[in-house]
Amino acid sequence: MKLHAAGFAAVFAATAALPAQAADLVIAMPNWPSGQATANILKESIAKKFGLEAEVRELGTISAFVGLDKGEVDIQPEVWRPNFEDLIRKYVTEKGAVVLSGRAVPAWQGLCATPEAAAAGLKTIADLNDPAKTAVLDTDGDGRGEVWIGAPTWLSTGIERVRANSYGYGANLTLVEAEEDVAMAAVDAAVATARPMVFYCYAPHHVFELHRLARIEEPPHDPAKWKIAQADDPLWVTKSSAATAWDTAHFHIAYATAFGKKHPDIAKFLEEVDFSPEEVTAMSYALEVERQAPSDYAKKWVDGHAARIDGWAKQ
């Protein structure tokens, strides 16, 4: 039966008024490449093995934890420690609203120098306190060198600012905050043009596959000299001090306790997910260098690792 124009319009209007089908669960997606890849790999894997459709929602880690607590978010794919110890203490230890998976990917973070920066004498934290040495990092002619310390929304960026103030090099260097893709493009350009550059770095990460970088040497981590105020305090950066290297880092998948009780099979699956540092580096490379879309990369990854995912889901 054919509908005349008025009838079609009425049917279309009625259909358009219907609410969109809600997803079965929500996965928070961070704004760094490995977290974006992992969020989508979990989405595809859960759909394949458990028949549930997930919405991948871009959220910062602090907002994600609030959502996990309120029941608005179910999974956070990459929670870094020690960066988010305050959130873990509040939502995992004290409130019991969030669970961290037992498996973790080993990692590290600090400052890196391009080969030209290292050759110019920028090898240690003490070197960054020497304006005569850091002058080679000046790209805008204002007499002060620049150091990228992270994206504006990263908690680690605030901690890097604390470290710069505590070590003292914040007094003679401009601390630049910018999105990671902008910073990595700057690293590529610096290496290509033999220009010295020092920047915040972390691993696993694809940048170490592309360039021969030196890690800036600094005193080993000392808890007595690492005092980070709670991030919900607007003045937490000025109230903090950290004049040593970062503590040993690693990251976990997190999920809401209520979600784990409702879907114990998926909770068990999340506990079995075991990415290696090499795989995380490959994720970063695929998204940042090859410019693959996170969803497209995830679909190919899941198709190519069917047996591995079956093992994670085995009850």
Side-chain angles (χ1 to χ4, degrees), residues 29-300:
M29 184 174 71
N31 67 340
W32 56 87
S34 59
Q36 294 171 335
T38 301
N40 282 275
I41 288 171
L42 294 178
K43 168 186 168 71
E44 296 295 329
S45 299
I46 290 171
K48 184 175 183 179
K49 301 307 299 183
F50 303 98
L52 297 182
E53 294 299 321
E55 173 194 349
V56 173
R57 185 181 301 170
E58 292 189 37
L59 288 171
T61 304
I62 295 176
S63 298
F65 266 85
V66 172
L68 289 165
D69 182 38
K70 292 183 176 180
E72 298 170 353
V73 175
D74 300 294
I75 300 170
Q76 213 304 355
E78 197 171 300
V79 178
W80 278 66
R81 307 184 80 169
N83 307 41
F84 294 104
E85 288 300 329
D86 281 348
L87 293 178
I88 293 168
R89 185 181 305 111
K90 178 178 180 179
Y91 292 103
V92 177
T93 306
E94 296 175 1
K95 300 186 74 171
V98 180
V99 177
L100 286 186
S101 67
R103 299 178 185 271
V105 178
W108 61 260
Q109 53 197 323
L111 294 174
C112 285
T114 60
E116 290 73 24
L122 297 174
K123 299 180 179 180
T124 71
I125 284 292
D127 294 327
L128 297 183
N129 283 325
D130 186 344
K133 291 183 178 180
T134 59
V136 299
L137 303 177
D138 181 13
T139 63
D140 57 11
D142 68 351
R144 292 170 59 90
E146 300 94 38
V147 172
W148 179 68
I149 60 171
T153 57
W154 295 354
L155 188 61
S156 63
T157 303
I159 296 176
E160 282 300 315
R161 190 171 291 278
V162 170
R163 280 160 35 83
N165 294 337
S166 300
Y167 276 127
Y169 60 84
N172 67 285
L173 286 168
T174 299
L175 307 178
V176 178
E177 298 183 17
E179 293 301 327
E180 184 177 18
D181 57 348
V182 175
M184 291 302 101
V187 173
D188 294 341
V191 173
T193 58
R195 177 175 58 80
M197 181 175 178
V198 172
F199 58 98
Y200 168 74
C201 54
Y202 64 92
H205 196 280
H206 74 273
V207 72
F208 299 98
E209 296 290 309
L210 294 176
H211 307 302
R212 183 170 52 86
L213 303 172
R215 187 170 181 181
I216 296 291
E217 298 174 10
E218 53 185 307
H221 180 73
D222 183 351
K225 296 181 179 180
W226 189 277
K227 304 296 182 183
I228 303 298
Q230 294 190 0
D232 57 2
D233 184 339
L235 300 178
W236 74 272
V237 171
T238 58
K239 292 180 179 179
S240 301
S241 62
T244 68
W246 285 83
D247 196 2
T248 302
H250 49 278
F251 52 87
H252 305 250
I253 294 172
Y255 56 92
T257 302
F259 175 78
K261 291 179 179 178
K262 183 178 180 181
H263 297 285
D265 50 349
I266 299 179
K268 184 177 184 300
F269 168 82
L270 295 173
E271 293 286 349
E272 297 300 320
V273 175
D274 60 343
F275 296 118
S276 69
E278 293 75 19
E279 287 176 317
V280 175
T281 297
M283 294 175 191
S284 176
Y285 190 95
L287 270 59
E288 285 293 300
V289 180
E290 299 175 345
R291 312 307 295 176
Q292 295 187 41
S295 58
D296 294 340
Y297 174 80
K299 290 174 183 176
K300 290 186 290 185

